[in-house]
Amino acid sequence: MPSPFGLLAELTYACPLHCPYCSNPLDMAAYRDELDTGQWQRVLAEARELGVLQLHLSGGEPLQRRDVVDIVRSAHDLGMYTNLITSALGLSAQRAEQLRAAGLDHVQISLQAHEAGASDRIAGTTSFQRKIAGAHLVKELGWPLTLNVVLHRLNIDGIADVLALAERLGADRIELANTQYYGWARRNRDALLPSREQLDRAEVVVRAARERLAGRMEIIYVLPDYYGQPPKPCMGGWGHRQLTVAPNGDVLPCPAAQELPLPRANVQEHPLSWIWSESPVFQRFRGTDWMGEPCRSCARRDVDFGGCRCQAFLLTGDASRTDPVCTLSPDHELVAEAVRAANSDQPVEAVLTPRPHPRDTASRADD
C-alpha cells in the first residue's frame, strides 16, 4: 500500500465569506466540535510517521483558528512543507510575521473576480481590497504566492482580467479551477455551470497567457467535470496518496466524501495509521475490485478508477456506479441534460443560495 503524500487539514468551517460555490458540507453544524491544538499536533505527528510531506491548511478560513501559528510551527518542526489556503481576511501584518517565524512555506489566496464589485458580490461580503493587500503582504515577506480563482458562469468571462491582475500582483502560480459541484456548489449548479462557448473563449485566453508568461507564472486551468472526457481519477485513486481531516477529526479520502453513506473514521477514536490502512471508509473504493460494469471491463479502470465517487453518489444516489460524466455511464444523460441547460438559449434564472456562516461555538476557532 502506498504511503499518503499530502494531508488537507480543514481546521474549521468558520469563514467570513458566503461563496455560493463552496464545497464545504451543507450540514456545517455537525462539525462545530473542532479538534483542539493538542489533537491537531498529534494528528500531524501521526501523519508524518505515515509518510506525509505536504500539509495544506484549509477550511472554511484557517486564520479563524487562534492556534494556526502553533499548528504551523508543529508541522514545520516535523519537516512538513506547509501551505496556507486562505481568503486573506485575517492575514494582518502581525499574523503574517508570526506565521513566517513559525516556518510557513507557501500561501494560496482565493480571489472571486478581478475587481471589487464582482468579487464582493460573489463572496457575499466586502473583501476584495483586503485580499489584494494580503497578496502584497505575502510577496513582501518573500513567500511564494499562489492565487486560486474558482471559475463559473458569473466570472469566467473575466478570465483575461484575472490573469492580468495575477501578473500585476507578481503571483508565482495561479489556479483557474472551474467549479466542481459538491456541497453548496451542487445546490447552485444551474446558476454556476458555464456554457461551452464561455469555456472555449476561456481556453483561448489561457493558452495565450501560458505562452506569454512561460517561466514567470505557472497557470493551472481545470475544466468542469461536466465537460471533461474521460472522467478524471478520483484524487489519483481512492485512498491512494491523499487524505483529508475534517474539523471534527473525521478522516476521508477526499474533501467531498463527507456526503457519502460510509462508516466514519475519526482521529479521536483511532490512530491515523489504522484509518489509512484498515478503516472501511478508506478500503471501500481502493483499487478496482469494487467496480461493476462498464468500469470493470474498461481499459481505463486503472487510470481513472471509474471517475469521482462523490459525484456518482450525488447524481445517482449510488457511490459505486460509474461517474455519470463518463459517456459510457448508463447515467450519462444526467450530466448531458445539465450541459444542455447551460447551453440553452433560455436565460439562466436559478437563484443562488449563498453559503451561510456556521454558528461557531468553539472559542479556539473564533479569532
Side-chain angles (χ1 to χ4, degrees), residues 196-259:
R196 168 55 71 182
E197 184 179 349
Q198 286 181 299
L199 291 170
D200 288 344
R201 290 197 300 264
E203 289 180 30
V204 171
V205 172
V206 169
R207 281 198 301 270
R210 280 177 171 160
E211 293 177 6
R212 184 173 58 83
L213 298 172
R216 294 166 51 198
M217 183 169 68
E218 182 182 9
I219 301 174
I220 307 298
Y221 179 69
V222 182
L223 277 171
D225 283 1
Y226 282 45
Y227 288 92
Q229 284 299 326
K232 72 176 189 298
C234 182
M235 299 298 291
W238 182 272
H240 185 64
R241 298 306 301 275
Q242 308 283 334
L243 68 164
T244 296
V245 180
N248 68 341
D250 284 349
V251 187
L252 300 160
C254 80
Q258 293 110 327
E259 300 192 58

Side-chain angles (χ1 to χ4, degrees), residues 301-337:
R301 65 182 179 276
D302 294 308
V303 178
D304 58 36
F305 304 101
C308 178
R309 298 301 87 224
C310 302
Q311 193 155 253
F313 174 74
L314 288 172
L315 290 174
T316 73
D318 183 353
S320 66
R321 291 183 71 82
T322 301
D323 186 343
V325 164
C326 181
T327 56
L328 300 177
S329 166
D331 305 302
H332 181 66
E333 180 59 24
L334 295 171
V335 170
E337 182 179 2

Side-chain angles (χ1 to χ4, degrees), residues 91-250:
L91 189 64
S92 64
Q94 180 182 9
R95 178 66 71 86
E97 290 283 5
Q98 292 170 344
L99 287 166
R100 189 170 181 269
L104 183 68
D105 293 297
H106 184 274
V107 179
Q108 177 175 316
I109 294 177
S110 66
L111 292 176
Q112 280 66 43
H114 70 281
E115 54 89 20
S119 180
D120 293 347
R121 281 195 301 274
I122 294 168
T125 188
T126 303
S127 56
F128 180 77
Q129 295 302 335
R130 285 182 285 174
K131 289 172 176 287
I132 300 303
H136 285 303
L137 182 57
V138 166
K139 295 300 291 186
E140 288 168 10
L141 292 178
W143 276 310
L145 172 63
T146 291
L147 299 177
N148 175 266
V149 184
V150 178
L151 299 174
H152 44 79
R153 175 182 287 271
L154 307 179
N155 68 358
I156 193 169
D157 292 330
I159 195 169
D161 293 318
V162 165
L163 285 163
L165 174 61
E167 189 176 1
R168 290 196 301 272
L169 292 173
D172 301 280
R173 186 172 185 265
I174 184 168
E175 296 180 0
L176 301 165
N178 274 277
T179 302
Q180 305 300 324
Y181 295 99
Y182 313 114
W184 295 93
R186 175 69 179 88
R187 177 169 289 188
N188 290 308
R189 184 192 67 184
D190 292 345
L192 295 175
L193 187 64
S195 68
R196 168 55 71 182
E197 184 179 349
Q198 286 181 299
L199 291 170
D200 288 344
R201 290 197 300 264
E203 289 180 30
V204 171
V205 172
V206 169
R207 281 198 301 270
R210 280 177 171 160
E211 293 177 6
R212 184 173 58 83
L213 298 172
R216 294 166 51 198
M217 183 169 68
E218 182 182 9
I219 301 174
I220 307 298
Y221 179 69
V222 182
L223 277 171
D225 283 1
Y226 282 45
Y227 288 92
Q229 284 299 326
K232 72 176 189 298
C234 182
M235 299 298 291
W238 182 272
H240 185 64
R241 298 306 301 275
Q242 308 283 334
L243 68 164
T244 296
V245 180
N248 68 341
D250 284 349

